[in-house]
Amino acid sequence: MDFFTLTLIKAGIVAAILLTTLAYLQWAERKLLAHIQLRLGPSRVGPHGLLQPLADVIKLLTKEDLLPAHVNKTLYMIAPFLAIALALIPISVVPFGPEIEVFGVNTHLQLTDLNIGLLFILAISSVGVYSVVLAGWASNNKYALLGSLRSAAQMISYELPLAVALASALLMANTLSLREIADSQAGYYLGFIPRWSVFQLPMPQIISFAVFLIAGFAETNRIPFDLPEAETELVAGFHTEYSSMKFASFFMAEYANIITMTCIATLLFLGGWHPLWPAAYGSSFVPSIVFFSGSAIALYHGLHPARPKDRYSLPAVAIAFLVAGLLFLVPALGGILTPLFWFAAKSGFLLFLFIWVRGTLPRFRYDQLMRFAWTYLFPVAMANLLVTGVLVAVFA
Amino acid sequence: MSEPDLSSSSLTPAEEPTEGSTSRRRMVLNMGPQHPSTHGVLRIILELEGETILNATPDIGYLHTGIEKECEVKTYQQVVPLTDRVDYLANLSNNLGYSLAVEKLLQLEIPPKAQWMRVLLVELTRINSHLVWLGTHAMDIGAMTVFLYCFREREDLLRIFEMFSGQRMMTSYIRVGGLALEPPRGWEQAVGKFIDAFPSKLAEYEDLLTKNPIWMNRTKGVGFLALEDLLDCGVTGPMIRAAGMKWDIRKDEPYSSYDKFDFEIPTREASDVYARYEVRLEEMRQSVRIIRQAMDGMPEGAWVTSAPNVVLPEREKMKTQIEALIYHFKIVTEGFTVPAGEAYVCIESPRGELGYYVVSNGTSKPHRVFMRTPSFANLQALPDMVKGRLIADTIAALGSIDFVLGDVDR
Amino acid sequence: MLPEILREIPVARALESWDPSAIVDGATALGEAVLYIAPEKIRDVCRQLRTEHGFARLGGITGVDWYPASPRFEIVYFLHSIGNNERLRLKCRVAEGQELDSVTGVWRAANWYEREIYDLFGITFRGHPDLRRIMLPEDWEGHPLRKDYPVHGHRYSYKDE
Amino acid sequence: MDLILFLIFAIFAVACAINLVIQRHPINSALSLIGVMGALAVLYLLLGGEFIAAAQMIVYAGAIMVLFVFVIMLLNAGAERRSSKSLLVRLLGVPLLGAFFAVLGYTVHRLLPAVDPVRFGEFTGGSPGEFGRVLFTRYLLPFEVTSALILIAILGAVVLARKEID
Amino acid sequence: MMSSVPLSWYLILSAILFGLGIAGFLFRKNLITVFMSIELMLNAVNLSFVAFSYHLKQVDGHIFTFFVMVVAAAEAAVGLAIILTVFKNRSTLEVDEVDSMKL
């Protein structure tokens, strides 16, 4: 098939899935957070609030787009655009699975494979700080300015430990192509311990994984590092003056960044789409089992509904899960879907972590945040890099 | 409060220093009157260098409703609903303080059951107020979940208040002479259920905060003010107990038969935000203890005093006896008269010393009601707490003062 | 001129011996002691009470308007000694237009209370560091807690609107 | 394809550079400079410099320029004052500059020996692997010297920007 | 061949950018803008390095570019620190006004 056509099809699929995930990640966050806090979360729009993202989008689109009088207009308009663009670009080099064959066409489950894929992501994300800085500056508002100053300092500071943590994982993978990085983690020690980066010899990258996650929290401005938009201090930080879709784009950018971050973590540290244990021990049946048990649970609750409307919604969910589980058992599809399942499961777990932490921790103070980056995170990441380097040099 | 620099604390909003002046790097930030963490309409004029606060000037009065003036045109009993609106998170404490002052002027004897009921309700109010404080304070520092946990328990409390008075917040349940209504059927079960469950809920909050390193980083050593300064600023309540002063009006000048209850006064030495947090949490535990004692030893008897010229007669009597009807008519139309004189009564509200100074000129309306509200005095200590610290510390310090703007502005 | 009834209060006796002209009157009612202080002496009396008699706390200051009596105002100081567990009320009778010494130098707590009285009663305190309106807007006319201030029918619009 | 990409990004770079020079407010100039750097990164990619293109974005656009923007925001530096220039300068400045560039371009074009035009993908020596190999063998000494320089620069910056101890 | 670009075009672009850098350096008065003009000149030179590197099919030009970047980073750190200090002492960024050696 023609390269352009193929890329266009893949781009369409990725964009559709990514944007849906963005919308539903927000729904999932609200729902999960609500359950952590012993409340229900969105439940009015659609069954279990499933249409809430749609309602939000409609609401935000139809809201009046305010342009405050005192802003620097050009930069004020550019900033949210920049934010969403720079947040969506990196996903183009992320591989979601191995090479597959669909309708006789061999292709990678990836938009494009750059041999400097990781550098590309770093390059794009390092520019991402401008959207925040410009938004704060252009708003001509003191809270926004303070927020963006904080943000600039924070993102630069945490980029260092982040990059160093990546470097130690790269030392073992010995490539910058994300697909090759994931492939370097295939296989198992003793037949069952996965050779993921976090377990890989000579130096398991657990420490750099932790550093990467913490710095990732900071890079994406999530609690406990959400100082640029710390609402109780700076009202809403850099996007205080934004409304309507411009405001929404900052939020979408934040969630897109989180998704990118979890994808990189999965690829670099958790072995990408490689299952937790070998297919010989039945790992390829895991997705079906998961979906079937989900289906059974939904069916059980549908038969004993807590609320009247669950009588219909939960069996519907059960049927959907059943179909999904059966799809994995179809030989032609199973080969494609199983790696995707593992990739999504690992990223999903990390996303859950992001939400969980938000429900648990308070916020750092600005100076504590900077001190944490420079006096704990960075030295730890450096030491880990050194040890990894020595061990790789000795054993390789 | 130290002597403010008049030249720099100008009230014009967000005045930009003039170009080329040496103070060009100083930024004036208007925190409030609409700001997520000023809990109402408080405005703090912050002078910043970077994020360091050079000077903080609170500007109050945005919620000034002239309650003290309004009291002068209401009859004595009509003032009670106004006191609800002073400190709207601890309205029963305000009801009690005012009622005690008027009762002192009238020299009324309150039956034991009413007194014990009052203690119970006021302690429930203390828990209620502290829950709102803990929730919003934790929310300010970013711990969102604690906020919702606290409001879950507060909801139970508001239901109990509704059960007693028919109102969730503006209860007006404690009146001059006793209580407004007979305690409802089943209040023992409702209150009992709450205080049985509450200690485990407190433990839940503590799990999320007390040993949390981020929480400790944010609160320990923040908002410190030495005991002498606190006394000098007129600060009372949990804040002064967190500085090591073991002083609680419930113990030192017992009112409403608090002397018959057994409880501890928690104190800490550190005088920072964390110490205030610990003191208030411990106070909630002590309140549970007091409530349990009040429930176990609740005396039998009348819930309102027998003073026909002050307290409305029973419905049945009013319909059958002419004296009762006359009293009812007189109290409803013109209120009861209070002998000329003045009385100052202070009680320990959740925020500190809550004093009511009532001056009577012998008519049925007070000549002057002065509310010595704790938040007003406590807020004066804010500038000294935050000078030289960061913006984020202001948020923590503000939360630790636990002021209510209605209480500040009246 | 210490009234007989105050002889039993040690603080009153001590003040009397320190400056006989400071106390002009006094009363105890309902178990609360009230001393009427000569307005020009109030700051010295407060300082004396704080340093010598342990009244470390100023509970508050307020005013009472006895319109149309003369002198019209009473300024009431609520003093408290935590150490002795003792409360004392000082009063100054002030005529309209008469100034009073500020006690902010004695207790910092007096700052806002005096501003409040300045705002709501219109009594000026000499030596106050920052005597501005506290509750009402700066350009408000009149002093609402005065008895001759109308309760109804007042209109106000913010100047900069 | 090469030509189109080159033209797009070359014109973009020049436009940004001109904007840098004529803008009065430093923040606009800084953003223009970031535009120039982004365009140059793409041109590096066209010339086979994969690593250097990424480094351009990470180091130049992502770190150095953030520092600039940060300082501009911190100082809240206002727009430059307009200076009074003579009429001659105003009228002739821009055409003269254009003419100068034309002459310059012609000279460069003429002086350069006829070589093969640039074709994308012909030179792959700029990949990170190749780059690293040369950097850490042939250029090891300069590399170490540069790291010492960076260290000294950090110390210098800290000393300069530190608050006065009073 | 229509779709390829002569090497000289890269060099001309580099020259133009360099010239604009000089123009900015000479005409601008704001210290920070002057500083940024210098960065623009460095970038222009980098482009020539990379272009020559392509011509010679050697990676050395890239390495030179890399060193230039590192030096530029060091320069920016120190330079901006100096600008901060100048602004702190004189509260201006105009080149013309920063003309005395001492305050």
PDB file of all heavy atoms in Angstrom, chain A residues 36-38 142-143 150 231-233 359 363 365 368, chain B residues 28 30 35 37 51 140-141 145 148-149 152 217 393:
ATOM      1  N   ILE A  36     -12.647   7.716  45.287  1.00  0.00           N
ATOM      2  CA  ILE A  36     -11.652   7.836  46.361  1.00  0.00           C
ATOM      3  C   ILE A  36     -12.223   8.714  47.468  1.00  0.00           C
ATOM      4  O   ILE A  36     -12.030   8.462  48.651  1.00  0.00           O
ATOM      5  CB  ILE A  36     -10.345   8.434  45.803  1.00  0.00           C
ATOM      6  CG1 ILE A  36      -9.626   7.400  44.949  1.00  0.00           C
ATOM      7  CG2 ILE A  36      -9.441   8.885  46.932  1.00  0.00           C
ATOM      8  CD1 ILE A  36      -8.426   7.935  44.225  1.00  0.00           C
ATOM      9  N   GLN A  37     -12.959   9.726  47.080  1.00  0.00           N
ATOM     10  CA  GLN A  37     -13.495  10.668  48.058  1.00  0.00           C
ATOM     11  C   GLN A  37     -14.906  10.314  48.488  1.00  0.00           C
ATOM     12  O   GLN A  37     -15.622  11.152  49.035  1.00  0.00           O
ATOM     13  CB  GLN A  37     -13.467  12.075  47.457  1.00  0.00           C
ATOM     14  CG  GLN A  37     -12.047  12.556  47.261  1.00  0.00           C
ATOM     15  CD  GLN A  37     -11.975  13.710  46.305  1.00  0.00           C
ATOM     16  OE1 GLN A  37     -12.944  14.055  45.649  1.00  0.00           O
ATOM     17  NE2 GLN A  37     -10.808  14.322  46.230  1.00  0.00           N
ATOM     18  N   LEU A  38     -15.318   9.091  48.221  1.00  0.00           N
ATOM     19  CA  LEU A  38     -16.602   8.580  48.689  1.00  0.00           C
ATOM     20  C   LEU A  38     -17.781   9.387  48.158  1.00  0.00           C
ATOM     21  O   LEU A  38     -18.700   9.728  48.884  1.00  0.00           O
ATOM     22  CB  LEU A  38     -16.647   8.560  50.217  1.00  0.00           C
ATOM     23  CG  LEU A  38     -15.530   7.770  50.876  1.00  0.00           C
ATOM     24  CD1 LEU A  38     -15.528   8.007  52.354  1.00  0.00           C
ATOM     25  CD2 LEU A  38     -15.677   6.306  50.572  1.00  0.00           C
ATOM     26  N   LYS A 142      -1.301  39.388  37.433  1.00  0.00           N
ATOM     27  CA  LYS A 142      -0.200  39.057  38.349  1.00  0.00           C
ATOM     28  C   LYS A 142      -0.216  37.598  38.758  1.00  0.00           C
ATOM     29  O   LYS A 142       0.828  36.973  38.895  1.00  0.00           O
ATOM     30  CB  LYS A 142      -0.272  39.951  39.569  1.00  0.00           C
ATOM     31  CG  LYS A 142       0.140  41.349  39.223  1.00  0.00           C
ATOM     32  CD  LYS A 142      -0.066  42.298  40.359  1.00  0.00           C
ATOM     33  CE  LYS A 142       0.268  43.688  39.875  1.00  0.00           C
ATOM     34  NZ  LYS A 142       0.025  44.692  40.883  1.00  0.00           N
ATOM     35  N   TYR A 143      -1.399  37.071  38.993  1.00  0.00           N
ATOM     36  CA  TYR A 143      -1.463  35.655  39.353  1.00  0.00           C
ATOM     37  C   TYR A 143      -0.932  34.796  38.213  1.00  0.00           C
ATOM     38  O   TYR A 143      -0.184  33.850  38.412  1.00  0.00           O
ATOM     39  CB  TYR A 143      -2.899  35.252  39.669  1.00  0.00           C
ATOM     40  CG  TYR A 143      -3.423  35.840  40.939  1.00  0.00           C
ATOM     41  CD1 TYR A 143      -4.468  36.743  40.937  1.00  0.00           C
ATOM     42  CD2 TYR A 143      -2.858  35.483  42.153  1.00  0.00           C
ATOM     43  CE1 TYR A 143      -4.946  37.287  42.109  1.00  0.00           C
ATOM     44  CE2 TYR A 143      -3.329  36.011  43.334  1.00  0.00           C
ATOM     45  CZ  TYR A 143      -4.369  36.926  43.310  1.00  0.00           C
ATOM     46  OH  TYR A 143      -4.831  37.444  44.462  1.00  0.00           O
ATOM     47  N   ARG A 150       6.689  30.427  38.004  1.00  0.00           N
ATOM     48  CA  ARG A 150       6.882  29.176  38.734  1.00  0.00           C
ATOM     49  C   ARG A 150       7.016  28.019  37.771  1.00  0.00           C
ATOM     50  O   ARG A 150       7.889  27.174  37.894  1.00  0.00           O
ATOM     51  CB  ARG A 150       5.651  28.902  39.590  1.00  0.00           C
ATOM     52  CG  ARG A 150       5.582  29.645  40.879  1.00  0.00           C
ATOM     53  CD  ARG A 150       4.305  29.255  41.552  1.00  0.00           C
ATOM     54  NE  ARG A 150       4.247  29.785  42.899  1.00  0.00           N
ATOM     55  CZ  ARG A 150       3.326  29.432  43.767  1.00  0.00           C
ATOM     56  NH1 ARG A 150       2.402  28.576  43.427  1.00  0.00           N
ATOM     57  NH2 ARG A 150       3.312  29.937  44.977  1.00  0.00           N
ATOM     58  N   GLU A 231      -4.599  26.484  42.738  1.00  0.00           N
ATOM     59  CA  GLU A 231      -5.744  27.391  42.711  1.00  0.00           C
ATOM     60  C   GLU A 231      -5.946  28.135  44.018  1.00  0.00           C
ATOM     61  O   GLU A 231      -6.448  29.241  44.003  1.00  0.00           O
ATOM     62  CB  GLU A 231      -6.999  26.629  42.324  1.00  0.00           C
ATOM     63  CG  GLU A 231      -7.394  25.569  43.309  1.00  0.00           C
ATOM     64  CD  GLU A 231      -8.733  24.976  42.924  1.00  0.00           C
ATOM     65  OE1 GLU A 231      -9.098  25.060  41.740  1.00  0.00           O
ATOM     66  OE2 GLU A 231      -9.404  24.459  43.796  1.00  0.00           O
ATOM     67  N   THR A 232      -5.535  27.546  45.129  1.00  0.00           N
ATOM     68  CA  THR A 232      -5.757  28.273  46.360  1.00  0.00           C
ATOM     69  C   THR A 232      -4.744  29.378  46.562  1.00  0.00           C
ATOM     70  O   THR A 232      -4.927  30.243  47.388  1.00  0.00           O
ATOM     71  CB  THR A 232      -5.723  27.325  47.559  1.00  0.00           C
ATOM     72  OG1 THR A 232      -4.565  26.520  47.444  1.00  0.00           O
ATOM     73  CG2 THR A 232      -6.948  26.463  47.580  1.00  0.00           C
ATOM     74  N   GLU A 233      -3.657  29.332  45.800  1.00  0.00           N
ATOM     75  CA  GLU A 233      -2.675  30.399  45.947  1.00  0.00           C
ATOM     76  C   GLU A 233      -2.793  31.403  44.801  1.00  0.00           C
ATOM     77  O   GLU A 233      -2.869  32.593  45.007  1.00  0.00           O
ATOM     78  CB  GLU A 233      -1.257  29.822  45.960  1.00  0.00           C
ATOM     79  CG  GLU A 233      -0.990  28.962  47.165  1.00  0.00           C
ATOM     80  CD  GLU A 233       0.188  28.044  46.941  1.00  0.00           C
ATOM     81  OE1 GLU A 233       1.099  28.423  46.199  1.00  0.00           O
ATOM     82  OE2 GLU A 233       0.174  26.940  47.499  1.00  0.00           O
ATOM     83  N   GLY A 359      -5.634  12.182  44.530  1.00  0.00           N
ATOM     84  CA  GLY A 359      -6.613  12.058  45.602  1.00  0.00           C
ATOM     85  C   GLY A 359      -5.990  11.945  46.968  1.00  0.00           C
ATOM     86  O   GLY A 359      -6.700  11.924  47.967  1.00  0.00           O
ATOM     87  N   ARG A 363      -0.099  19.631  48.466  1.00  0.00           N
ATOM     88  CA  ARG A 363       0.768  20.284  47.488  1.00  0.00           C
ATOM     89  C   ARG A 363       2.056  20.754  48.154  1.00  0.00           C
ATOM     90  O   ARG A 363       2.062  21.178  49.301  1.00  0.00           O
ATOM     91  CB  ARG A 363       0.000  21.468  46.934  1.00  0.00           C
ATOM     92  CG  ARG A 363       0.671  22.256  45.880  1.00  0.00           C
ATOM     93  CD  ARG A 363      -0.203  23.425  45.486  1.00  0.00           C
ATOM     94  NE  ARG A 363      -1.505  22.981  45.009  1.00  0.00           N
ATOM     95  CZ  ARG A 363      -2.654  23.413  45.492  1.00  0.00           C
ATOM     96  NH1 ARG A 363      -2.686  24.301  46.436  1.00  0.00           N
ATOM     97  NH2 ARG A 363      -3.789  22.968  45.012  1.00  0.00           N
ATOM     98  N   ARG A 365       5.319  23.293  48.666  1.00  0.00           N
ATOM     99  CA  ARG A 365       5.519  24.727  48.549  1.00  0.00           C
ATOM    100  C   ARG A 365       6.574  24.950  47.472  1.00  0.00           C
ATOM    101  O   ARG A 365       7.373  24.067  47.191  1.00  0.00           O
ATOM    102  CB  ARG A 365       5.997  25.294  49.889  1.00  0.00           C
ATOM    103  CG  ARG A 365       5.878  26.784  49.996  1.00  0.00           C
ATOM    104  CD  ARG A 365       6.199  27.216  51.408  1.00  0.00           C
ATOM    105  NE  ARG A 365       7.591  26.977  51.714  1.00  0.00           N
ATOM    106  CZ  ARG A 365       8.048  26.794  52.936  1.00  0.00           C
ATOM    107  NH1 ARG A 365       7.247  26.808  53.954  1.00  0.00           N
ATOM    108  NH2 ARG A 365       9.332  26.595  53.152  1.00  0.00           N
ATOM    109  N   GLN A 368      10.200  24.311  48.331  1.00  0.00           N
ATOM    110  CA  GLN A 368      10.415  22.897  48.638  1.00  0.00           C
ATOM    111  C   GLN A 368      10.476  22.081  47.361  1.00  0.00           C
ATOM    112  O   GLN A 368      11.264  21.145  47.238  1.00  0.00           O
ATOM    113  CB  GLN A 368       9.284  22.378  49.524  1.00  0.00           C
ATOM    114  CG  GLN A 368       9.307  22.965  50.913  1.00  0.00           C
ATOM    115  CD  GLN A 368       7.997  22.763  51.632  1.00  0.00           C
ATOM    116  OE1 GLN A 368       6.998  22.361  51.043  1.00  0.00           O
ATOM    117  NE2 GLN A 368       7.979  23.050  52.913  1.00  0.00           N
TER     118      GLN A 368
ATOM    119  N   VAL B  28       2.881  44.672  44.026  1.00  0.00           N
ATOM    120  CA  VAL B  28       1.759  44.699  44.943  1.00  0.00           C
ATOM    121  C   VAL B  28       0.697  43.750  44.413  1.00  0.00           C
ATOM    122  O   VAL B  28       0.234  43.906  43.288  1.00  0.00           O
ATOM    123  CB  VAL B  28       1.193  46.115  45.089  1.00  0.00           C
ATOM    124  CG1 VAL B  28       0.016  46.110  46.036  1.00  0.00           C
ATOM    125  CG2 VAL B  28       2.268  47.041  45.586  1.00  0.00           C
ATOM    126  N   ASN B  30      -2.964  42.030  45.024  1.00  0.00           N
ATOM    127  CA  ASN B  30      -4.216  42.095  45.747  1.00  0.00           C
ATOM    128  C   ASN B  30      -4.737  40.696  45.930  1.00  0.00           C
ATOM    129  O   ASN B  30      -5.247  40.106  45.000  1.00  0.00           O
ATOM    130  CB  ASN B  30      -5.225  42.839  44.880  1.00  0.00           C
ATOM    131  CG  ASN B  30      -5.601  44.120  45.495  1.00  0.00           C
ATOM    132  OD1 ASN B  30      -5.779  44.188  46.706  1.00  0.00           O
ATOM    133  ND2 ASN B  30      -5.737  45.131  44.685  1.00  0.00           N
ATOM    134  N   HIS B  35     -10.959  35.534  46.241  1.00  0.00           N
ATOM    135  CA  HIS B  35      -9.804  34.668  46.060  1.00  0.00           C
ATOM    136  C   HIS B  35     -10.139  33.324  46.683  1.00  0.00           C
ATOM    137  O   HIS B  35     -10.779  33.278  47.725  1.00  0.00           O
ATOM    138  CB  HIS B  35      -8.581  35.297  46.729  1.00  0.00           C
ATOM    139  CG  HIS B  35      -7.313  34.544  46.469  1.00  0.00           C
ATOM    140  ND1 HIS B  35      -6.978  33.445  47.201  1.00  0.00           N
ATOM    141  CD2 HIS B  35      -6.323  34.725  45.570  1.00  0.00           C
ATOM    142  CE1 HIS B  35      -5.819  32.975  46.746  1.00  0.00           C
ATOM    143  NE2 HIS B  35      -5.409  33.733  45.762  1.00  0.00           N
ATOM    144  N   SER B  37      -8.746  31.231  48.507  1.00  0.00           N
ATOM    145  CA  SER B  37      -8.360  30.793  49.836  1.00  0.00           C
ATOM    146  C   SER B  37      -8.508  31.882  50.886  1.00  0.00           C
ATOM    147  O   SER B  37      -7.965  31.756  51.965  1.00  0.00           O
ATOM    148  CB  SER B  37      -6.923  30.296  49.821  1.00  0.00           C
ATOM    149  OG  SER B  37      -6.097  31.323  49.419  1.00  0.00           O
ATOM    150  N   GLU B  51       8.488  35.901  45.189  1.00  0.00           N
ATOM    151  CA  GLU B  51       7.339  35.351  45.897  1.00  0.00           C
ATOM    152  C   GLU B  51       7.442  35.597  47.398  1.00  0.00           C
ATOM    153  O   GLU B  51       6.651  35.076  48.176  1.00  0.00           O
ATOM    154  CB  GLU B  51       7.224  33.843  45.635  1.00  0.00           C
ATOM    155  CG  GLU B  51       6.762  33.555  44.243  1.00  0.00           C
ATOM    156  CD  GLU B  51       5.924  32.302  44.162  1.00  0.00           C
ATOM    157  OE1 GLU B  51       5.479  31.806  45.204  1.00  0.00           O
ATOM    158  OE2 GLU B  51       5.719  31.827  43.042  1.00  0.00           O
ATOM    159  N   ASP B 140      -6.737  24.035  50.930  1.00  0.00           N
ATOM    160  CA  ASP B 140      -5.823  25.115  50.569  1.00  0.00           C
ATOM    161  C   ASP B 140      -4.434  24.583  50.315  1.00  0.00           C
ATOM    162  O   ASP B 140      -3.701  25.090  49.479  1.00  0.00           O
ATOM    163  CB  ASP B 140      -5.743  26.151  51.693  1.00  0.00           C
ATOM    164  CG  ASP B 140      -6.994  26.976  51.768  1.00  0.00           C
ATOM    165  OD1 ASP B 140      -7.793  26.891  50.834  1.00  0.00           O
ATOM    166  OD2 ASP B 140      -7.181  27.688  52.767  1.00  0.00           O
ATOM    167  N   ILE B 141      -4.037  23.591  51.095  1.00  0.00           N
ATOM    168  CA  ILE B 141      -2.686  23.062  50.942  1.00  0.00           C
ATOM    169  C   ILE B 141      -2.700  21.959  49.896  1.00  0.00           C
ATOM    170  O   ILE B 141      -1.686  21.328  49.643  1.00  0.00           O
ATOM    171  CB  ILE B 141      -2.153  22.656  52.330  1.00  0.00           C
ATOM    172  CG1 ILE B 141      -2.147  23.891  53.213  1.00  0.00           C
ATOM    173  CG2 ILE B 141      -0.778  22.078  52.279  1.00  0.00           C
ATOM    174  CD1 ILE B 141      -1.576  23.731  54.561  1.00  0.00           C
ATOM    175  N   THR B 145      -8.947  15.465  49.131  1.00  0.00           N
ATOM    176  CA  THR B 145      -9.794  14.392  49.643  1.00  0.00           C
ATOM    177  C   THR B 145     -10.236  14.671  51.066  1.00  0.00           C
ATOM    178  O   THR B 145     -11.390  14.400  51.434  1.00  0.00           O
ATOM    179  CB  THR B 145      -9.026  13.073  49.552  1.00  0.00           C
ATOM    180  OG1 THR B 145      -8.668  12.881  48.196  1.00  0.00           O
ATOM    181  CG2 THR B 145      -9.871  11.915  49.992  1.00  0.00           C
ATOM    182  N   LEU B 148     -13.426  16.609  51.350  1.00  0.00           N
ATOM    183  CA  LEU B 148     -14.694  15.913  51.135  1.00  0.00           C
ATOM    184  C   LEU B 148     -15.012  14.962  52.280  1.00  0.00           C
ATOM    185  O   LEU B 148     -16.171  14.786  52.645  1.00  0.00           O
ATOM    186  CB  LEU B 148     -14.645  15.178  49.806  1.00  0.00           C
ATOM    187  CG  LEU B 148     -14.771  16.189  48.671  1.00  0.00           C
ATOM    188  CD1 LEU B 148     -13.951  15.813  47.491  1.00  0.00           C
ATOM    189  CD2 LEU B 148     -16.214  16.370  48.299  1.00  0.00           C
ATOM    190  N   TYR B 149     -13.967  14.369  52.863  1.00  0.00           N
ATOM    191  CA  TYR B 149     -14.212  13.526  54.035  1.00  0.00           C
ATOM    192  C   TYR B 149     -14.815  14.359  55.155  1.00  0.00           C
ATOM    193  O   TYR B 149     -15.762  13.948  55.821  1.00  0.00           O
ATOM    194  CB  TYR B 149     -12.901  12.876  54.508  1.00  0.00           C
ATOM    195  CG  TYR B 149     -12.433  11.720  53.667  1.00  0.00           C
ATOM    196  CD1 TYR B 149     -13.120  11.351  52.520  1.00  0.00           C
ATOM    197  CD2 TYR B 149     -11.311  10.985  54.017  1.00  0.00           C
ATOM    198  CE1 TYR B 149     -12.687  10.298  51.743  1.00  0.00           C
ATOM    199  CE2 TYR B 149     -10.878   9.921  53.254  1.00  0.00           C
ATOM    200  CZ  TYR B 149     -11.563   9.589  52.113  1.00  0.00           C
ATOM    201  OH  TYR B 149     -11.136   8.554  51.358  1.00  0.00           O
ATOM    202  N   ARG B 152     -18.359  15.206  54.656  1.00  0.00           N
ATOM    203  CA  ARG B 152     -19.238  14.054  54.855  1.00  0.00           C
ATOM    204  C   ARG B 152     -19.710  14.029  56.303  1.00  0.00           C
ATOM    205  O   ARG B 152     -20.908  13.910  56.573  1.00  0.00           O
ATOM    206  CB  ARG B 152     -18.438  12.791  54.519  1.00  0.00           C
ATOM    207  CG  ARG B 152     -19.123  11.500  54.812  1.00  0.00           C
ATOM    208  CD  ARG B 152     -18.133  10.362  54.632  1.00  0.00           C
ATOM    209  NE  ARG B 152     -16.995  10.511  55.545  1.00  0.00           N
ATOM    210  CZ  ARG B 152     -15.948   9.706  55.552  1.00  0.00           C
ATOM    211  NH1 ARG B 152     -15.842   8.738  54.677  1.00  0.00           N
ATOM    212  NH2 ARG B 152     -14.970   9.876  56.404  1.00  0.00           N
ATOM    213  N   ASN B 217       5.997  19.315  55.826  1.00  0.00           N
ATOM    214  CA  ASN B 217       6.843  20.352  55.235  1.00  0.00           C
ATOM    215  C   ASN B 217       6.092  21.665  55.105  1.00  0.00           C
ATOM    216  O   ASN B 217       6.660  22.735  55.285  1.00  0.00           O
ATOM    217  CB  ASN B 217       7.284  19.921  53.832  1.00  0.00           C
ATOM    218  CG  ASN B 217       8.541  19.109  53.865  1.00  0.00           C
ATOM    219  OD1 ASN B 217       9.312  19.222  54.816  1.00  0.00           O
ATOM    220  ND2 ASN B 217       8.740  18.293  52.863  1.00  0.00           N
ATOM    221  N   ASP B 393       2.949  30.145  52.095  1.00  0.00           N
ATOM    222  CA  ASP B 393       2.863  30.142  53.555  1.00  0.00           C
ATOM    223  C   ASP B 393       1.723  31.008  54.041  1.00  0.00           C
ATOM    224  O   ASP B 393       1.135  30.744  55.083  1.00  0.00           O
ATOM    225  CB  ASP B 393       4.179  30.648  54.161  1.00  0.00           C
ATOM    226  CG  ASP B 393       5.286  29.639  53.991  1.00  0.00           C
ATOM    227  OD1 ASP B 393       4.953  28.459  53.791  1.00  0.00           O
ATOM    228  OD2 ASP B 393       6.457  30.027  54.059  1.00  0.00           O
TER     229      ASP B 393
END
